[in-house]
Each structure stands twice: as structure tokens, then as C-alpha cells.
Amino acid sequence: MKKLFVTIYALCLFSASLFSQAEFNKVWTTEVDVENKWHSNKKDLSMILIGDLKTFAMVDGTNGKTLWSFNAKERLGVKSVEDWTFLWAMEQEPVEVVYNKPKEDTKTIIYLDSKTGNVISSLTESTLKEKATSTNKKKKSRTKYATDTYDDNSATFVLLKFKDKFFKNSSAGNTFDVTVQAIGGYNWTSNIKARAVTHINRLLLSADEPEIMMNVMVANNKVFVLYEGITVLDLKTGKELWTTSFDMVDAGMTSQEIGKAPLPTVDKDAVYICDLSKGEKAIKKLDINTGNLIWKSEKLDKDEVISQLSVVGNNLVAKFGGIIRKAKNVYNPNNGATTRIAKNVFEGKSDIRVFDATNGKELWSAEKVFKEDKFSSSECSILAENNNIVACSNKFIYFVEPSTGNVKSKTELGKEIGHPKYIFEYDGNYIVEGEEGIASFSSSGAKNYAVSTKKVLMSEFIADVFIVWTGKDTDDMNEFIRFDLKTGKIMGKLKDCYTPYFNEDGSNFLRYKENTITKYQTN
């Protein structure tokens, strides 16, 4: 009996040891002498501004020590300031402080040296300058939208710039003045107008998902700016070639449904779009040089959802059915509080339909090909690339010939991951993200690993670092792990952290909890 007790006790110690070893290592932790009402930090986490409108402090992100503090009463003779902002993206990286002078009703702005807290008397609102734009290659990301991109062929970085004064009131859409800028191999700026929608809230969005639902991509020596429409520019000169409008997002002031239509895709001759505009609801092929209509599919059924469009060879691959992000804000007039809600819900009937890209004629569908396996019950995304369609039923991963629908190979997913949700390519392998874990397969279909994480509520890339949100429910996401996609190993985890603030390469993050700041490392 004593031996059994010792064995069980040893196993418990071993399990506890495993858990403690799996937690992310702390770099430092500090308790600040100001109230954590708001906080802001540089992208590299080297400096942290924290406090309220009465008192705020700057913390050295390398060691957790307070560099300086600012008391509004002592420094300015006012009870509190109107606002403060850490302008780390501007030259000199100042802290902007807005306040009203005593006995005066005029707004005054001063700028503090972020390293010392002293006033920079030579800096004014008119002399502020943005830092030079970084032209680094785009890091790994699984965001739906992106406001910058890098073209390897021309070594050109293309980004979108816009005034954000309408952002807070654009959940139903607004027309923005957008500056498209090219830097590097080609250098130019071009101004366009684009009707776009902003996210109504940030729930279930990755950290690098932009506020505005716009995308920019480069292909065939052209720049494609995507919004509730498309503008095509010449990559070399920035000259506008053509533009057209269509609807992709179902959005209003208090609710949004995102994902009922995919982003457009291109090949060497054409742009393919799914137009949800009233009276349209069809797939269209447009000439890449002029925007003229080449063909239009039959009108889609009212409830049909197309979540992905891809071109493989001369085949247009459409994924029917997909995850819809339903987000809304509910205002309570009794107490003035706003409740933010977001859910990812699968809608539509799951199917793959492949069309002849030349004329739009349907060649085959998964409903007809996968008769022995219920593909219609799968809620997983697909990949169409390298003369392959990679798709999952709830049991198998399939590699399919695009033009015929013939199955090249299939491999069992593994019970460890639960029902599959997403497929993406990583380092030459195909990663399948399930409801309960992650699996990896080679390009030939061989399984590399299948690992249970118990839950996968959401995942995101921070540079090359892959983060999986685990825990119980999307309504209370406060637990995450770092997952090594090459090996299938869990590199660290942390609970009770709702909003980690990562540095640019994902190697460190900050956790704010009341007036305590802790810096962790993920590797």
C-alpha cells in the first residue's frame, strides 16, 4: 500500500513538474505605482507607458524598472490631463500630452521625451514626422485582410495609407481616401477612393488583423487593392488601370457577417470575384487589363455561401460553405454599457465545385465525387495549389486532381485533432487545424504528427511563432500555447492572460494584470 501511495505521489509530482516546465519563462515582473487604466508599448516591448489621466509612468521594457513618472497636478497644476499618447511610430518617439491650462478653456499640447519625461520644447504638432516606412518582407500571417504586401519579383513593398478619422463610424461602410505607396524596386504614390468596412469589434481576430477590411496584393505586374470593390494599378508606375465595385461583407452599424464571399483571386488573364450585390450574387470573370466582364455564372441560391476562390491551372476552384464571423455590439440604454459579441459559425452546404476557367462551365463537384465519404458534413477549409486540391472530410485528408476530381491519395486525420476546421501550408507541409488539436502532412500525404491540444478556439501567427488559444470557450479566452508546427511539440503555455502583447518576432510578450506587468519569453 505504501509503495502504491509513493508511486501515485511521484506521478503527481511528475505531472506538476511537466506543467510548470511547460509554462512560459518569466523575464521580469514589476508592480507599478500608478493605476493601470490605459497602457501602450513599443512594438519591440522596450518601453511601456501605463497609468491614468492623473498620473502615468514609463517603464523600461528590458528590465521592468520605472524610468519616470508624470503627475498632472505637480507638473501642470491641473487635476488631470485630457489625454496622453505614446507616439512610438513618430520620429523622437515622444509622449503627447493634451490638457487644459488652469482657468483657461483652451487645449494645450506638449511633448515629452519618452526616455526622461522632460518636455521637448522644440517639438510641436506641426513638426511631428512619421518614421521611415519599414520595407521588410511580409511575415507569416493567416489574416483575411492585409494593408501591405511585398513582391519578391520586383523587391517592392506596397502599402495602403488612409486617414483614420472615419474608423470609429465605419462598421457599416464609408468611402475612404486611400494612398497606395510603393517602395523599393518601384517607387510611387497613387490616390484612390475606396468604400470599405471596419471591424465592429476585435473579438476572435488575430493581433495583426487590420481594423479595416481591405487587402492589397501584387500579381502579373499589377497591384490589386481590394475592398467593397477593386482598383487595379500598374506596378511600375502606379497608374490606375481600372476599377469596379461589388459587395463582399454584410455589415451594419450594430452587426456584421463576414465570410459569405471570398476575396477575389487572379491568374495571368483575369480577376475572379464573387459579387453579393443586390440582384447579382454570382461568380464573375473580369479581364485583368480592362475589368470587362468575360463570363458570369448562374445566379447563386439565396442561402449559398462561397468562402474561397482559387485558380489552379485552367480550373477555378470554389469552396461552398464556410465559417462566418458574426459580430455585434449591443448597447444597454439603462447603464450605458456596450456588450461586444462575436461567434464563428459555419453556414451553407459544404461542397467543392470546379469550373473551367475559360468559360465558367462546371467540371465536377465534391458532392458527386466523394460518395463514400460525407464531405458535405465537413466544415474545413481547402487549399488549391501546386496542381492539387487539398481537402478534408471529418475522417481523411484528400489530395485531389483539380481538373477531374480524381483522388490521388488520402490519409486518416487522427482522432487526436477532432473535426478539422482549417488547412494551411507551412514549410512544405500541410497543417490541419482541428477542434481539438493540430496535425501535419507531407506534400505526398504522409502523416508527420497528430497532436491533441484539448481545444483549439483560435490560432494566429506572430511572425513565425504559432499561437493556439485553448481553454473552454470563445467567450472566455484566457489560455494559450506556443505550438511548434515543425515538430508538433508544445513549447509553452499560460493561463489567465486575456490579451498578451507580443513583440514583432513573437519571442516575448507582456501580461498586464491590474498594476502588475510581467514579461515572458516564448522560446
Side-chain angles (χ1 to χ4, degrees):
M1 186 68 181
K2 183 178 179 182
K3 184 178 180 180
L4 177 61
F5 174 79
V6 171
T7 302
I8 293 173
Y9 180 70
L11 285 172
C12 290
L13 283 177
F14 179 67
S15 298
S17 175
L18 276 178
F19 182 80
S20 64
Q21 287 176 357
E23 286 188 323
F24 296 115
N25 292 324
K26 291 181 182 179
V27 179
W28 53 257
T29 186
T30 189
E31 189 172 326
V32 294
D33 294 326
V34 296
E35 183 182 353
N36 180 18
K37 188 79 172 181
W38 299 281
H39 52 255
S40 176
N41 48 262
K42 289 181 64 175
K43 285 186 176 181
D44 63 3
L45 310 184
S46 63
M47 300 182 78
I48 304 159
L49 190 63
I50 185 170
D52 59 16
L53 297 178
K54 294 180 179 180
T55 309
F56 50 92
M58 184 68 76
V59 176
D60 187 331
T62 63
N63 55 32
K65 295 180 179 180
T66 298
L67 295 173
W68 53 266
S69 61
F70 188 99
N71 183 287
K73 183 69 173 176
E74 295 175 359
R75 294 285 297 271
L76 302 173
V78 296
K79 184 178 180 180
S80 62
V81 300
E82 297 295 314
D83 194 14
W84 52 257
T85 309
F86 188 8
L87 302 178
W88 48 262
M90 309 297 285
E91 290 184 1
Q92 300 186 62
E93 301 179 348
V95 175
E96 182 182 76
V97 180
V98 182
Y99 72 103
N100 287 329
K101 287 185 177 180
K103 299 180 181 181
E104 294 183 23
D105 193 23
T106 56
K107 183 178 75 171
T108 301
I109 299 176
I110 59 173
Y111 294 93
L112 308 180
D113 186 307
S114 57
K115 294 181 176 63
T116 65
N118 297 328
V119 175
I120 307 174
S121 56
S122 60
L123 191 59
T124 65
E125 193 172 7
S126 61
T127 59
L128 276 175
K129 292 182 180 180
E130 287 187 20
K131 291 180 182 177
T133 302
S134 171
T135 57
N136 294 331
K137 290 187 178 182
K138 194 169 180 64
K139 298 179 176 67
K140 288 184 174 63
S141 176
R142 288 180 57 207
T143 61
K144 182 177 178 68
Y145 301 98
T147 55
D148 59 72
T149 190
Y150 184 84
D151 179 50
D152 286 307
N153 293 330
S154 64
T156 302
F157 182 72
V158 182
L159 69 155
L160 307 180
K161 293 183 176 181
F162 24 73
K163 295 179 180 179
D164 60 1
K165 63 180 180 179
F166 295 131
F167 272 25
K168 293 181 180 179
N169 301 308
S170 299
S171 59
N174 253 321
T175 299
F176 292 86
D177 292 316
V178 183
T179 298
V180 188
Q181 183 176 9
I183 305 170
Y186 299 113
N187 293 275
W188 48 261
T189 58
S190 183
N191 297 313
I192 66 171
K193 289 187 178 295
R195 180 169 179 79
V197 177
T198 56
H199 288 290
I200 200 168
N201 62 48
R202 297 289 307 175
L203 300 178
L204 299 181
L205 295 176
S206 60
D208 55 347
E209 187 78 47
E211 289 291 334
I212 194 166
M213 298 181 212
M214 292 183 67
N215 202 30
V216 59
M217 61 182 184
V218 176
N220 304 317
N221 292 315
K222 295 176 177 60
V223 175
F224 301 86
V225 184
L226 312 175
Y227 43 98
E228 294 296 279
I230 183 171
T231 296
V232 182
L233 309 171
D234 184 276
L235 175 60
K236 296 180 180 179
T237 64
K239 179 184 177 182
E240 183 176 312
L241 302 177
W242 58 273
T243 187
T244 190
S245 62
F246 52 86
D247 290 341
M248 292 192 299
V249 178
D250 185 359
M253 290 300 295
T254 59
S255 65
Q256 296 176 336
E257 294 190 4
I258 304 163
K260 290 188 173 182
L263 290 171
T265 190
V266 302
D267 63 16
K268 61 184 179 65
D269 299 314
V271 178
Y272 302 86
I273 67 172
C274 181
D275 189 354
L276 296 186
S277 302
K278 188 175 181 180
E280 293 290 333
K281 192 150 189 186
I283 299 172
K284 297 178 179 179
K285 179 179 181 179
L286 310 178
D287 184 280
I288 198 170
N289 295 307
T290 64
N292 293 335
L293 180 67
I294 298 175
W295 56 256
K296 181 170 75 169
S297 71
E298 294 182 3
K299 194 171 182 179
L300 302 172
D301 291 342
K302 180 182 177 182
D303 297 326
E304 282 188 313
V305 171
I306 299 182
S307 55
Q308 296 174 260
L309 273 181
S310 305
V311 180
V312 184
N314 195 44
N315 308 289
L316 179 65
V317 183
K319 173 65 172 68
F320 280 69
I323 301 293
I324 309 299
R325 180 178 181 268
K326 295 188 174 185
K328 62 181 178 180
N329 291 347
V330 181
Y331 176 73
N332 186 336
N334 295 321
N335 58 17
T338 298
T339 302
R340 293 171 175 81
I341 302 169
K343 290 285 186 182
N344 288 328
V345 181
F346 187 88
E347 287 193 358
K349 184 179 179 181
S350 187
D351 195 8
I352 302 171
R353 298 180 199 172
V354 178
F355 304 87
D356 186 323
T358 304
N359 53 34
K361 179 182 177 181
E362 184 176 318
L363 300 176
W364 60 272
S365 69
E367 187 177 32
K368 298 172 183 177
V369 171
F370 298 97
K371 293 181 179 179
E372 77 287 353
D373 197 3
K374 292 182 179 180
F375 185 81
S376 60
S377 64
S378 172
E379 297 183 357
C380 191
S381 63
I382 66 171
L383 270 183
E385 60 179 18
N386 301 326
N387 201 34
N388 260 326
I389 296 176
V390 187
C392 288
S393 69
N394 283 335
K395 293 182 179 180
F396 297 95
I397 181 171
Y398 288 88
F399 291 78
V400 181
E401 209 289 318
S403 60
T404 63
N406 292 334
V407 176
K408 298 178 180 180
S409 67
K410 72 174 184 178
T411 306
E412 191 171 355
L413 289 170
K415 295 180 180 179
E416 298 91 341
I417 71 168
H419 288 168
K421 290 294 184 181
Y422 302 99
I423 305 175
F424 60 95
E425 188 273 337
Y426 181 86
D427 199 31
N429 293 312
Y430 294 102
I431 307 299
V432 180
E433 179 182 308
E435 292 177 328
E436 300 171 359
I438 311 290
S440 170
F441 300 85
S442 70
S443 57
S444 63
K447 185 188 295 184
N448 299 317
Y449 61 76
V451 176
S452 171
T453 59
K454 295 185 179 179
K455 280 280 189 179
V456 179
L457 303 178
M458 192 183 90
S459 66
E460 58 184 320
F461 274 105
I462 311 295
D464 290 334
V465 172
F466 189 62
I467 299 297
V468 178
W469 287 85
T470 55
K472 294 181 179 180
D473 192 84
T474 54
D475 291 333
D476 189 33
M477 294 206 310
N478 65 73
E479 182 179 337
F480 64 93
I481 63 173
R482 176 177 177 178
F483 190 90
D484 189 331
L485 291 172
K486 292 183 179 180
T487 65
K489 292 180 180 179
I490 296 173
M491 300 179 66
K493 57 185 174 182
L494 187 66
K495 293 183 178 180
D496 195 25
C497 184
Y498 288 89
T499 310
Y501 292 80
F502 287 91
N503 62 351
E504 290 182 290
D505 65 8
S507 60
N508 294 100
F509 67 91
L510 299 174
R511 176 173 70 173
Y512 297 90
K513 191 174 182 181
E514 296 178 348
N515 64 333
T516 298
I517 311 171
T518 305
K519 186 177 183 179
Y520 294 87
Q521 64 182 42
T522 64
N523 50 13

